[in-house]
Amino acid sequence: VLLYAKTKEMELKLRKLFAERKIKKNYLAVCNGTAQADSGVIDIPSGDGKFGDRVRKTLRPDYNSNKIVTNKKTSDLVHEDAVTEYTVLSSVDNASFVSTTMHSGRKHQIRLHLGLALGTPILGDHKFSYPTEIGKPQKIHGDILQKLKLKKSKSRHLPIYLHARRVTVPRILPDGNDLVVVATLPHFFSKTLQKLKLKTKHY
């Protein structure tokens, strides 16, 4: 789903709604792994991290707000709150089909939270599969490779299985109703769900 404003007035209105976190965004993902809990809320800030001479987004936990962890120090680097709600819609062996809702709009938030927080990176997402490495090909579980009839050496060419499914803009229509935009799954995404035997009836 992509939103385009046809007038400057509407653009400013949409920007304001995004800034106020009033626009709801739902994403679907196929994950390389299955979360321990079928649903939950991931509330871990994100920020820039340096890996050698390269910079990319990473998780920046706020240990000061957690009384359980006492031996960790919160980073002094800039970080922003990031909250993602997730639900596992279907899972078979090591593959899972996950629905996520963003309660904040940080760059690469879903990829960070699924890959680095839950340890179930989005299938095909090499950038956010490892907390301390960039560019290393994602290690895809054997049963997934087998079902996709894919050689291990070819796995780095998989697309990222993340789909912007639904955007809800509150009270934006002339009659005062919400605007709900829904995008159907791309063909390659649907075919992979079938091959992995992941059910789609609940999304």
Side-chain angles (χ1 to χ4, degrees), residues 107-135:
K107 190 175 183 181
H108 301 316
Q109 177 178 319
I110 294 171
R111 295 168 69 184
L112 280 164
H113 277 168
L114 292 180
L116 304 186
L118 288 188
T120 57
I122 297 165
L123 186 62
D125 188 359
H126 305 293
K127 192 170 185 179
F128 296 103
S129 287
Y130 304 99
T132 58
E133 296 183 66
I134 303 178

Side-chain angles (χ1 to χ4, degrees), residues 135-192:
K136 182 181 174 183
Q138 185 182 72
K139 188 176 180 182
I140 296 172
H141 290 282
D143 58 292
I144 295 176
L145 290 173
Q146 193 176 5
K147 286 173 189 166
L148 295 181
K149 294 181 178 168
L150 193 67
K151 288 183 180 176
K152 191 177 177 182
S153 60
K154 301 286 184 188
S155 62
R156 67 160 57 241
H157 303 299
L158 279 173
I160 296 177
Y161 285 85
L162 179 65
H163 175 64
R165 167 70 175 166
R166 182 185 296 106
V167 171
T168 305
V169 186
R171 299 184 297 281
I172 199 84
L173 296 176
D175 60 4
N177 283 327
D178 296 352
L179 171 67
V180 181
V181 185
V182 180
T184 54
L185 285 172
H187 182 67
F188 80 89
F189 203 113
S190 299
K191 287 295 284 183
T192 295

Side-chain angles (χ1 to χ4, degrees), residues 10-129:
M10 183 54 73
E11 181 199 346
L12 293 172
K13 193 170 186 177
L14 285 171
R15 283 185 185 279
K16 188 171 185 285
L17 287 169
F18 271 113
E20 294 171 349
R21 300 182 185 177
K22 289 181 178 174
I23 292 179
K24 292 180 183 173
K25 293 165 282 183
N26 170 251
Y27 289 78
L28 298 174
V30 177
C31 289
N32 178 31
T34 304
Q36 287 184 325
D38 286 341
S39 62
V41 176
I42 305 162
D43 184 356
I44 305 176
S46 66
D48 288 336
K50 203 163 185 189
F51 300 85
D53 58 349
R54 298 171 71 185
V55 174
R56 72 136 209 234
K57 292 290 178 188
T58 190
L59 296 179
R60 293 260 170 240
D62 181 7
Y63 296 111
N64 298 330
S65 66
N66 188 340
K67 294 188 173 97
I68 298 168
V69 180
T70 58
N71 63 343
K72 301 285 184 185
K73 184 176 181 292
T74 297
S75 170
D76 293 331
L77 295 171
V78 174
H79 63 274
E80 300 174 306
D81 290 342
V83 181
T84 306
E85 188 174 346
Y86 78 92
T87 302
V88 178
L89 302 173
S90 172
S91 65
V92 177
D93 297 326
N94 286 301
S96 57
F97 182 38
V98 179
S99 173
T100 64
T101 301
M102 295 170 68
H103 295 294
S104 51
R106 307 305 177 198
K107 190 175 183 181
H108 301 316
Q109 177 178 319
I110 294 171
R111 295 168 69 184
L112 280 164
H113 277 168
L114 292 180
L116 304 186
L118 288 188
T120 57
I122 297 165
L123 186 62
D125 188 359
H126 305 293
K127 192 170 185 179
F128 296 103
S129 287

